[in-house]
Structure formats: structure tokens, C-alpha cells
């Protein structure tokens, strides 16, 4: 984690709080005006000097609201004092920070009473409220670690009070605090913020990016996390009036901006009538339009903080006729893959990050919880450690112009690769179901139908300066529906069945290379599925063409890059040797995969324990 902080975090970035402000001019003007009013009212409460109500205020706060404001102001005053925490302990800050959030929410609600969001968006969209429990392990955590404070986005009509039942599934941001402001403690606060925030991605399938707050003593820094980079604001000094106003500006921005500024995806919505998610997938036949798909289960979650945030869902395009329940389950007929792809035309390959599903695996069940409560594919501690090794030097990135042509990027993406494969191999009936077929898919756009904007790193972070761009990968959001549905390799029932699956996969691999000139470059256990047709039998399917290259249109094979899953990489790939990558590299990966399965077992029933290794190897081989 310390390496991730040093390599991924940029500090003292002036524009971070600006990215929380509403995008449209009317809402931005309102946010600026409300910030000034709320900040002035805040100062009057903490100094005990009443200020006249602003002319724009719809009504003075009720007496009970005023009493609560005074109570919150009294609780937060020590946080505003230079020596307000002589013990240096962090726990008092939890309550003080929570009280500040409640105070600002109450002031904001009173200021905008009766002015809820409307068609123009110029109004209060939500309230930002803290969870009631501090130093708590939220629901959805992948371990027993505790966050200091959690913030939640609540409906406008919610009472201004701390929220029960802390959950990563509903958290807007995680807050990590330390008692004093020192370089070492800031580093610890960032490390914990990085460590815990990945749970937000995993538990919220509609989260494109996330926010966080780090607090040391009376200083706060807002953080915004993109796919491969984090940016922290300059220190917001809560002992200074200007600093308090800046934190108010952040909270007002969060309360008035559209959902996309908070990191939410407007193309994935919960359908309360049907009790399932409705996901808009770009239409294959009608450019600019989308097709609604329905899902109630994700089979791969975005479980890492810095990755392509690949998610996969079991889904169907058939609208349910009644609410989805246990007695009326949704019957999926395809897999939706939602991921972010690199715009890699002009920059060097990024340092390889092969952890978890960041490579974009579409293996069903790959990220289900294991029996011990952890997440992952269950291949064991050795594989888990190997998968988290990062290879390669520092990359240099080049962002495309704002209105760049997506066609070339589409051709190089997985969806372009799969469409080419299907066009060339559709006549091969013997390969039906051996590779995924695209039903619908394309690039994801955010915004209304009249103002659609490509969902990319630029939409999240804005136009960075050239130095920041050179350090930040430019990613574009892609989503597509595929068929058929398969099972992970770990569900193979016998050694003969394993042989059949591997034979099918490599026969398909050879045909794809011979007839399409496409090299897969990522043969691994998570990229081979078992398909069990309703007609009976079993066959294998090769998936995840994120690392694939089209040899007919590129000559980049000799570039010393790493691609694929670390335990199964060929030696030439692993060592970045300046030699062409060929089919032999993928066949070498198959050999390593067979050795791995023979040594460590195929699934939980066959996995070796203790000293059973020699007998197990004899049996498998």
C-alpha cells in the first residue's frame, strides 16, 4: 500500500474541490452563493455573534433546528482551535468531524428549504450525512478493518441526523483521521484511505470513481480517485475561516451537483418496480441508442482501488413481467461486461497490474466470496501474492484531443476483436460457444440524450495539465453484452472433462490466430470457462480478449511489454525479451496452467493440503 501511495497519489492539487462543483452554470452560481451564506452563518454560530438572515433564505430555521445547530457548533469548536486536541488522540476528531457535517447539512437545508431539485437541476439534490457509528467495520467489508467516519448521500427530505447501519454499499466517501498533522501521520491516513476505499467500488456496481477525505489534526484534504491515479487537495485548515469556507464549498458542491460528479453512473439504475438493476448497453444496430438489460446478480466486482474496474453481470434483455423475487427469479441469458479500456495509441504500456480481475476477466464466479469470507478466485495464497506483483518501469501517457475519433480505439478494444472473430468464424459451426459473441455493446456516455458526453478520464478529472496527463492513463468506459454463459474452470467435474475443455479452448485459439491473425496473450485459469449446453455434454470457451492483439494491423509484437496473468506468463513475456510474441507463448502458458492445476488442484475438493503433493501429482499426471 505504501508503494501505491508513492506511485499513485498526487498531493496539493488545487482543482480537486472544483471537481465537486455543479457543471451547469445555474447550479454553479447557486452553489457559490449558498457557500458564502452557509459559511457566514457557520462563523456566526461558532463565534456566538448572530448574523442577519440572507435575503435569499426562504425562511428562518425552526427553533428545534436552531437548537441542533448550536449543539453541533459547540461540539465542533475544539476542532477549529489550534490547540483544541492537546491529547493528540484521533478519536475526538471523529465526533467533531461528524458534527461539522451535520451542521453544514442543517444550514444548507434551511438555506434551500422549499427549493428541491427541479428540471434544471438548480437546487438541493441531496444531503451529505455521516454514519452514526464511528471507528466501525461497515457492512460489505472484505475484512475486519474499521473506518473512522463514513459519509452517505441521503434524500433531500431526510432528517438531518447521523445515519444508522454503516455500509460500503451506500457510502459516498470514507474519512480517515489522525490526531496530529505530521508527515508520517498523513502517510498513514492516506494508506488507510486507500486500503478501505476499494470496498466502495466492490459494493457499488454503479460507481465510476470515488471520493475520500483524509484528516490530520485540524487539517483536511479531499481526495478523488480515478482508475489509476489519486489526487489530493491542498490542506484545508479548519482553524482558519478561509479553510472552513473551503470545506463548506466541498460539501455544498456534493449536495448540489449531479450524480455523475459524485462518481455515480446514470446508465445503471435500480428499478424499484421490478426489484432489479436496469443497465443501458449501447445498441449494436442503432448507433447512439441503448438497449435496457436487467440483472440482479454481479459475478465479478471491481474489488481493487486502482484497476480497470471490470464488473460482470448475469443479465437478460427481456424485461421481467413481475418483480424479481426468490419465487420469481430473473433468468439470465447473457453476461454484461462493464470495464474501462486504455486509449493506448500514443503512449507506452503502463506498468502491468495483474491483480485480481483488473485485467478484465469475464469468468463467471471469479470474484464470489470464498468460504473463508475473503474475495477472489480461490486459487490459494501463492497465486494471490503472485497476482499482486507489479512489473515494469514508469509509463508516459499521452491524452487524445477532446473530440478524438473512437473508431480506431474500437477496433483495438475487446469488443472490436470479438466482432472480427465472429465475422471470420461464424461459418465454423464446430466452434459455436467456444468464444464469446457480442449481442450489444460500445462506449458509455453520461448525461442526457441532448447532451451526451463520452465517459472517460477527462470527464472525471477535467483537462489536466501536460505534466499530470503524462502520469495519468487515459481510460474510456466500455460496456457490452455477450453470450453464452459459462462456469469457472474450478467447477470441472473430472480430469477427462478438464482435458475436453482445454482441447476445445486451444483448438479455438488456433483457429482465431490462423483465420483472424489475433493472438490472445492471456491464457489463464480465469479466462477458460466450462459451457454446459442444455442439450447435454460439455465444452470449453476462451474468454477475455483484453490483452489480445491483431497481428494484421499492428507490428508492436516486439515491444518488450508484459501482458496476461502472472503465474502463467511465458518466460519471454515475463522477462520482457525483445522478441516477437507468438502462439508458442500462449502454448507455454497452457503448460504452466496444467502444471499449476496438477500441483495445487483444480478446485476445493482436489486442492492439495499439507504433505499430499507427491501422490496428487502422480494422480493428475
Amino acid at each position: 500500500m505504501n508503494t501505491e501511495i508513492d506511485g499513485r497519489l498526487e498531493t496539493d492539487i488545487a482543482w480537486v474541490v472544483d471537481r465537486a462543483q455543479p457543471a451547469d452554470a445555474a447550479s454553479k452560481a447557486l452553489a457559490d452563493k449558498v457557500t458564502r451564506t452557509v459559511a457566514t452563518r457557520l462563523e456566526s454560530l461558532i463565534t456566538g455573534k448572530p448574523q442577519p438572515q440572507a435575503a435569499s433564505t426562504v425562511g428562518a430555521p425552526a427553533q428545534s433546528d436552531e437548537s441542533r445547530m448550536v449543539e453541533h457548533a459547540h461540539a465542533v469548536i475544539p476542532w477549529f482551535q489550534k490547540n483544541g486536541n492537546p491529547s493528540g488522540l484521533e478519536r475526538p476528531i471523529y465526533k467533531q468531524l461528524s458534527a461539522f457535517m451535520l451542521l453544514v447539512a442543517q444550514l444548507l437545508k434551511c438555506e434551500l428549504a422549499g427549493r428541491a431539485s427541479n428540471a434544471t437541476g438548480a437546487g438541493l439534490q441531496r444531503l451529505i450525512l455521516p454514519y452514526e457509528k464511528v471507528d466501525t467495520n461497515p457492512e460489505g467489508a472484505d475484512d475486519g478493518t474499521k473506518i473512522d467516519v463514513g459519509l452517505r448521500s441521503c434524500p433531500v427530505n431526510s432528517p438531518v441526523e447521523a445515519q444508522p447501519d454503516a455500509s460500503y454499499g451506500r457510502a459516498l466517501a470514507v474519512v480517515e483521521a489522525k490526531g496530529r498533522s505530521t508527515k508520517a501521520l498523513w502517510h498513514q491516513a492516506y494508506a488507510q484511505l486507500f486500503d478501505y476505499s476499494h470496498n466502495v467500488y466492490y459494493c457499488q456496481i454503479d460507481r465510476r470513481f470515488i471520493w475520500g477525505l483524509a484528516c490530520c489534526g485540524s487539517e483536511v484534504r479531499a481526495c478523488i480517485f480515478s482508475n489509476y491515479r489519486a489526487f489530493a487537495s491542498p490542506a484545508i485548515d479548519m482553524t482558519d475561516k478561509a479553510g472552513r469556507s473551503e470545506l463548506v464549498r466541498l460539501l455544498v458542491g456534493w449536495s448540489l451537483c449531479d450524480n455523475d460528479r459524485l462518481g455515480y453512473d446514470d446508465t445503471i439504475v435500480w428499478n424499484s418496480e421490478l426489484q432489479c438493476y436496469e443497465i443501458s448497453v449501447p445498441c449494436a444496430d442503432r448507433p447512439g441508442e441503448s438497449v435496457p438489460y436487467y440483472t440482479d446478480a454481479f459475478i465479478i466486482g471491481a474489488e481493487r482501488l486502482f484497476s480497470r474496474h471490470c464488473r460482470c453481470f448475469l443479465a437478460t434483455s427481456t424485461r421481467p413481467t413481475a418483480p424479481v423475487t426468490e419465487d420469481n427469479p430473473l433468468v439470465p441469458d447473457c453476461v454484461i461486461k462493464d470495464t474501462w479500456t486504455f486509449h493506448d495509441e500514443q503512449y507506452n504500456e503502463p506498468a502491468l497490474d495483474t491483480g485480481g480481475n483488473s485485467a478484465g476477466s469475464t469468468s463467471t464466479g471469479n470474484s464470489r466470496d470464498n468460504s473463508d469470507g475473503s474475495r477472489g478466485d480461490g486459487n490459494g495464497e501463492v497465486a494471490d501474492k503472485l497476482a499482486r506483483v507489479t512489473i515494469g518501469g514508469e509509463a508516459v501517457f499521452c491524452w487524445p484531443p477532446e473530440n478524438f475519433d473512437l473508431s480506431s480505439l474500437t477496433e483495438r478494444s475487446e469488443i472490436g476483436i470479438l466482432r472480427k472473430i465472429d465475422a471470420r468464424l461464424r461459418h465454423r459451426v464446430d466452434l459455436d460457444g467456444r468464444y464469446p459473441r457480442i449481442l450489444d455493446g460500445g462506449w458509455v456516455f453520461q448525461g442526457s440524450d441532448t447532451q451526451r458526453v463520452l465517459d472517460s478520464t477527462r470527464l472525471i478529472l477535467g483537462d489536466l495539465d501536460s505534466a499530470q496527463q503524462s502520469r495519468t492513463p487515459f481510460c474510456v468506459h466500455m460496456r457490452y453484452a455477450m453470450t453464452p454463459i459459462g462456469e469457472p474452470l474450478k467447477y470441472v467435474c473430472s480430469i477427462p472433462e478438464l482435458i475436453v475443455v482445454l482441447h476445445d479452448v486451444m483448438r479455438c485459439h488456433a483457429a482465431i490466430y490462423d483465420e483472424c491473425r489475433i493472438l490472445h496473450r492471456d491464457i489463464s485459469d480465469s479466462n477458460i470457462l466450462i459451457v454446459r449446453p442444455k442439450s447435454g455434454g460439455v465444452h470449453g470457451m476462451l474468454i477475455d480478449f483484453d490483452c489480445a492483439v491483431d497481428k494484421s494491423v499492428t507490428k508492436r509484437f516486439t515491444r518488450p511489454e508484459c501482458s496476461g496473468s502472472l503465474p502463467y506468463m511465458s518466460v519471454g513475456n515475463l522477462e520482457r525479451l525483445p522478441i516477437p510474441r507468438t502462439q508458442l507463448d500462449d502454448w507455454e502458458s497452457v503448460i504452466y496452467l496444467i502444471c499449476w492445476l496438477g500441483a495445487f488442484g483444480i478446485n476445493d475438493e482436489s486442492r492439495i493440503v499439507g504433505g499430499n503433493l507427491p501422490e496428487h501429482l502422480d494422480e493428475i499426471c
Side-chain angles (χ1 to χ4, degrees), residues 226-295:
S226 65
N227 292 82
Y228 286 96
R229 206 89 179 149
F231 300 86
S233 70
I236 300 172
D237 186 358
M238 300 305 292
T239 67
D240 180 68
K241 179 180 177 180
R244 294 190 288 270
S245 179
E246 183 70 352
L247 189 53
V248 168
R249 187 167 78 96
L250 175 68
L251 296 177
V252 170
W254 280 350
S255 302
L256 271 65
C257 69
D258 289 334
N259 279 332
D260 69 293
R261 288 267 170 158
L262 297 180
Y264 294 105
D265 191 335
D266 289 335
T267 63
I268 300 178
V269 297
W270 174 254
N271 189 317
S272 56
E273 176 187 354
L274 299 177
Q275 290 296 294
C276 64
Y277 280 97
E278 184 173 328
I279 302 178
S280 298
V281 178
C283 182
D285 301 324
R286 300 183 301 277
E289 298 184 26
S290 61
V291 179
Y293 281 75
Y294 303 90
T295 181

Side-chain angles (χ1 to χ4, degrees), residues 557-560 571-573 576-582 585:
F557 276 77
T558 58
R559 185 169 58 184
V571 172
N573 189 12
R576 291 175 174 262
L577 299 180
I579 56 177
R581 304 290 184 260
T582 68
D585 289 273

Side-chain angles (χ1 to χ4, degrees), residues 302-363:
E303 61 182 23
R304 303 200 67 199
L305 183 62
F306 297 111
S307 72
R308 297 173 65 177
H309 299 152
C310 177
R311 299 177 174 98
C312 291
F313 311 89
L314 293 176
T316 177
S317 60
T318 303
R319 181 183 175 88
T321 57
V324 177
T325 64
E326 290 186 5
D327 297 327
N328 182 46
L330 187 146
V331 181
D333 53 24
C334 65
V335 174
I336 293 177
K337 182 174 179 179
D338 184 276
T339 187
W340 292 72
T341 188
F342 293 109
H343 179 276
D344 62 350
E345 192 169 45
Q346 301 183 56
Y347 62 67
N348 297 331
E349 284 285 331
L352 176 66
D353 185 353
T354 57
N357 59 40
S358 59
S361 169
T362 53
S363 169

